[in-house]
């Protein structure tokens, strides 16, 4: 294939041999550009790095033999000692066993005033099992960071944010040496704690590894963990970072937006080959008016795409902000004869519904439940009715309308291979594309904003951008008309059938 002008700029920049970044907007031919770069550097050994094995395997079928396709974890696994990776086979200790092994205790913890869910919610039990879970999470944060020692701030972050700040800091100080003990056991050949994949990645990164390649293509760099960027920054090889700063949607996991943070030469792929000008115009309202972008996303003239109403009977994909809203939509689609496949965090939803059953029976739930702090279902109803913008409203409304058993049954049947549409969330939709897309009305935004204040946070704007740019031909934003009007988009009323 002949490269476009933008693709040729990326190839020329890569041929200069200096580390650089290629910002590729949604549908802008990122994969084909990477292949062109690999071909242009055919006289050198390249390494394409992806986040998961499936992407790396697919990429290997597209690149020439001079480019090997791996994941960071596979590089680490093949480089660390076998005594360490053999610990992947260790029996997983349950949180109560870890609590006993590390002498963790129960605590009655004051609840921050803004997090209290009623007069009886001034203190909550934070038991030893949850202390153990926080200890493991703190080690996880450490493993994804570029620190060489576990930080107090990482332990603090691993404790729930409903805690009073002062007490949370005290617990962090108590838990820090326990986290060190846990990590030291991982590093001990005779240790019994089970190894996780991020553990051997950290072990490898701390050894200052050298990646055997002349150039490295790092895909989806906007969602890189700090540890990955730290390893790449120390390489003698040229590193070409590829991604879209506006598609970073995993900052809550500690990801660092390399496409924004790295001060190196940059070129853009702004021409989308996924959709036409109408969808690009809508996406640009998010990019320019919320995310402060200056270079527009350009739609493909040869694709006729429209923004207007799409009926539920013909939509290929329904994309929501939350799991609960997606599940609610799936239930309604079944009623009208559609056969939807639900692509959400099913495990989390099932746990939430089971916890709702407990609260309805007067049983208080803990372990980080979304219903933690409530004594009964009446308190849940009161909270969702009185607290604006709360994240429980959609789930509680659905439970009241359909019932727990019916929802559980629907969830267990929701991943059939025989389906005629997809119901999913913005997070799960990343990397996918569909002809006809409907966006749900549950994306978070401020209905009233102060002068100069944006109605969307940057995180929410990026999620909305990802969701909207999954559509190839038809995009329905009617459930979000008020939001798009506020960011300067004139909504239309065409009906696609």
């Amino acid at each position: 294939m002949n490269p476009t002008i933008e693709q040729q700029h990326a190839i020329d920049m890569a041929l200069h041999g200096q580390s650089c970044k290629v910002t590729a907007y949604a549908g802008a031919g990122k994969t084909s550009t990477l292949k062109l770069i690999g071909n242009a550097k055919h006289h050198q050994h390249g390494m394409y790095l992806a986040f998961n094995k499936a992407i790396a395997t697919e990429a290997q079928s597209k690149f020439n033999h001079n480019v090997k396709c791996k994941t960071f974890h596979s590089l680490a696994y093949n480089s660390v000692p076998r005594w360490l990776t053999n610990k992947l086979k260790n029996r997983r200790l349950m949180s109560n066993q870890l609590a006993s092994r590390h002498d963790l205790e129960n605590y009655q913890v004051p609840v921050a005033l803004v997090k209290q869910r009623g007069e009886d919610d001034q203190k909550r039990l934070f038991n030893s099992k949850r202390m153990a879970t926080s200890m493991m999470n703190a080690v996880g944060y450490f493993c994804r960071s570029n620190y060489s020692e576990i930080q107090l701030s990482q332990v603090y972050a691993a404790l729930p944010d409903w805690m009073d700040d002062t007490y949370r800091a005290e617990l962090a100080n108590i838990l820090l040496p326990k986290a060190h003990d846990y990590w030291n056991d991982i590093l001990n050949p005779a240790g019994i704690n089970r190894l996780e994949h991020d553990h051997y990645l950290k072990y490898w990164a701390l050894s200052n590894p050298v990646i055997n390649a002349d150039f490295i293509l790092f895909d989806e760099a906007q969602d890189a963990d700090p540890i990955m960027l730290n390893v790449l920054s120390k390489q003698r090889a040229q590193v070409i970072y590829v991604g879209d700063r506006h598609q970073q949607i995993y900052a809550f996991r500690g990801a660092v937006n390399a496409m924004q943070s790295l001060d190196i030469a940059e070129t853009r792929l702004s021409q989308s080959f996924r959709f036409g000008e109408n969808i690009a115009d809508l996406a640009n309202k998010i990019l320019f008016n919320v995310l402060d972008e200056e270079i527009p996303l350009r739609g493909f003239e040869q694709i006729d795409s429209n923004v207007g109403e799409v009926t539920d009977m013909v939509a290929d994909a329904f994309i929501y902000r939350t799991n609960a809203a997606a599940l609610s939509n799936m239930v309604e689609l079944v009623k009208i004869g559609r056969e939807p496949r639900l692509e959400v965090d099913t495990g989390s939803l099932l746990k939430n519904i089971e916890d709702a059953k407990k609260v309805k029976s007067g049983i208080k739930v803990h372990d980080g439940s979304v219903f933690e702090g409530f004594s009964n279902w009446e308190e849940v109803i009161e909270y969702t009715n009185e607290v604006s913008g709360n994240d429980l409203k959609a789930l509680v409304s659905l439970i009241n309308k359909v019932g727990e058993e019916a929802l559980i049954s629907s969830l267990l049947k929701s991943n059939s291979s025989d389906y005629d549409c997809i119901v999913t969330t913005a997070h799960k939709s990343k990397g996918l594309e569909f002809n006809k897309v409907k966006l749900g009305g549950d994306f978070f935004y401020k209905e009233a904003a102060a002068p100069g204040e944006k109605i969307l946070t940057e995180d929410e704007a990026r999620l909305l951008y990802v969701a909207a740019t999954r559509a190839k031909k038809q995009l329905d934003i009617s459930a979000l008309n008020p939001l798009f009007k506020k960011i300067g988009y004139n909504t239309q009323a065409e009906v696609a059938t």
Side-chain angles (χ1 to χ4, degrees):
M1 63 173 284
N2 294 321
T4 65
I5 294 174
E6 288 184 326
Q7 287 175 329
Q8 190 61 55
H9 285 163
I11 295 167
D12 293 342
M13 189 171 67
L15 289 174
H16 283 173
Q18 302 299 314
S19 291
C20 56
K21 55 185 177 181
V22 179
T23 293
Y25 286 171
K30 178 187 64 173
T31 302
S32 59
T33 304
L34 290 176
K35 181 180 177 181
L36 288 168
I37 290 173
N39 291 347
K41 296 171 77 70
H42 60 88
H43 58 289
Q44 293 182 311
H45 295 293
M47 179 71 72
Y48 169 91
L49 291 175
F51 280 102
N52 65 61
K53 184 177 180 180
I55 293 175
T57 300
E58 181 184 0
Q60 191 65 74
S61 67
K62 298 178 180 178
F63 282 99
N64 285 337
H65 296 306
N66 67 308
V67 178
K68 293 182 178 179
C69 300
K70 303 280 187 181
T71 65
F72 259 96
H73 284 85
S74 67
L75 286 178
Y77 182 88
N78 291 321
S79 300
V80 300
R82 292 305 90 179
W83 67 258
L84 183 65
T85 53
N86 284 341
K87 296 179 76 172
L88 287 166
K89 303 173 185 176
N90 284 7
R91 182 172 59 88
R92 188 186 302 278
L93 297 180
M94 296 296 101
S95 54
N96 61 319
Q97 294 172 305
L98 284 170
S100 175
R101 189 162 186 265
H102 292 277
D103 297 322
L104 301 176
E105 300 178 6
N106 298 335
Y107 296 89
Q108 285 290 337
V109 182
V111 180
L113 187 61
V114 295
K115 296 291 184 178
Q116 292 179 14
R117 289 174 161 174
E119 294 181 0
D120 297 331
D121 191 30
Q122 296 182 14
K123 282 191 174 184
R124 296 181 191 172
L125 173 66
F126 197 70
N127 61 29
S128 59
K129 290 172 57 178
R130 298 187 65 188
M131 286 284 282
T133 300
S134 293
M135 176 183 69
M136 289 187 288
N137 288 339
V139 172
Y141 292 154
F142 160 68
C143 286
R144 292 187 292 274
S145 76
N146 55 14
Y147 289 103
S148 58
E149 297 284 345
I150 300 173
Q151 305 295 299
L152 181 63
S153 60
Q154 292 163 342
V155 183
Y156 182 89
L159 292 165
D161 63 359
W162 55 257
M163 290 183 174
D164 172 80
D165 284 344
T166 301
Y167 208 95
R168 187 178 178 187
E170 292 178 7
L171 279 187
N173 276 293
I174 293 171
L175 203 53
L176 178 60
K178 308 293 187 181
H180 280 297
D181 291 342
Y182 181 87
W183 177 243
N184 288 334
D185 183 89
I186 293 293
L187 301 180
N188 181 355
I192 66 171
N193 285 341
R194 186 177 187 273
L195 185 77
E196 304 293 344
H197 293 286
D198 281 348
H199 294 164
Y200 65 73
L201 179 65
K202 185 67 172 181
Y203 183 98
W204 174 71
L206 290 173
S207 71
N208 293 319
V210 175
I211 298 175
N212 186 24
D214 299 312
F215 66 94
I216 299 168
L217 303 170
F218 184 39
D219 202 359
E220 300 291 348
Q222 76 278 352
D223 284 320
D225 287 330
I227 187 176
M228 298 176 180
L229 296 183
N230 193 43
V231 168
L232 292 175
S233 70
K234 297 176 180 178
Q235 301 303 309
R236 292 183 179 179
Q238 176 192 25
V239 183
I240 301 170
Y241 301 85
V242 187
D244 183 355
R245 73 189 68 190
H246 303 307
Q247 292 193 61
Q248 187 205 29
I249 58 175
Y250 295 109
F252 65 93
R253 295 181 183 173
V256 175
N257 197 331
M259 304 309 296
Q260 194 163 309
S261 62
L262 291 174
D263 186 18
I264 55 178
E266 177 183 16
T267 191
R268 301 268 183 138
L269 301 176
S270 63
Q271 171 70 70
S272 179
F273 299 99
R274 177 179 297 156
F275 42 74
E277 294 177 349
N278 288 331
I279 292 176
D281 288 345
L282 177 138
N284 281 324
K285 294 300 181 183
I286 304 172
L287 295 178
F288 277 68
N289 297 344
V290 185
L291 293 172
D292 298 325
E293 181 54 77
E294 297 177 353
I295 298 176
L297 166 65
R298 294 179 294 126
F300 194 35
E301 293 180 355
Q302 296 180 29
I303 297 178
D304 181 20
S305 64
N306 295 294
V307 178
E309 187 176 341
V310 179
T311 66
D312 286 351
M313 289 304 298
V314 301
D316 300 310
F318 301 79
I319 303 177
Y320 287 81
R321 172 64 177 84
T322 62
N323 291 319
L327 176 58
S328 178
N329 176 250
M330 188 201 77
V331 171
E332 295 303 316
L333 287 172
V334 170
K335 291 179 181 178
I336 64 171
R338 296 298 303 268
E339 297 179 3
R341 178 181 173 91
L342 187 65
E343 295 281 357
V344 298
D345 184 355
T346 304
S348 175
L349 265 176
L350 284 171
K351 182 181 185 305
N352 291 342
I353 296 168
E354 291 290 353
D355 284 347
K357 290 170 64 177
K358 292 178 183 177
V359 175
K360 283 188 173 184
S361 300
I363 302 171
K364 277 198 169 187
V365 292
H366 302 288
D367 296 325
S369 169
V370 294
F371 295 110
E372 185 170 29
F374 295 113
S375 299
N376 52 60
W377 195 246
E378 287 69 30
E379 287 186 359
V380 174
I381 300 295
E382 183 179 354
Y383 176 84
T384 56
N385 287 337
E386 294 183 0
V387 179
S388 61
N390 70 83
D391 55 359
L392 285 177
K393 197 173 188 70
L395 177 60
V396 171
S397 175
L398 184 61
I399 289 171
N400 285 338
K401 181 179 180 180
V402 180
E404 301 89 76
E405 297 305 328
L407 288 176
I408 291 172
S409 176
S410 296
L411 274 172
L412 295 177
K413 298 175 183 175
S414 65
N415 59 352
S416 169
S417 58
D418 185 18
Y419 58 93
D420 61 13
C421 62
I422 294 286
V423 181
T424 188
T425 63
H427 282 102
K428 289 283 188 179
S429 74
K430 188 178 177 188
L432 304 177
E433 58 183 26
F434 309 92
N435 283 330
K436 301 175 183 179
V437 172
K438 291 193 75 165
L439 298 187
D442 64 326
F443 285 80
F444 303 150
Y445 66 97
K446 302 171 186 174
E447 295 183 5
E453 183 184 19
K454 294 175 180 176
I455 66 169
L456 283 166
T457 66
E458 287 193 359
D459 287 345
E460 293 300 323
R462 286 192 286 264
L463 264 183
L464 185 60
Y465 167 72
V466 167
T469 53
R470 300 310 93 195
K472 295 195 292 184
K473 294 183 178 179
Q474 294 172 318
L475 174 64
D476 185 340
I477 61 166
S478 55
L480 292 170
N481 275 345
L483 164 59
F484 279 100
K485 286 180 180 178
K486 288 178 183 292
I487 62 174
Y489 184 78
N490 293 322
T491 55
Q492 303 171 11
E494 299 176 3
V495 179
T497 58

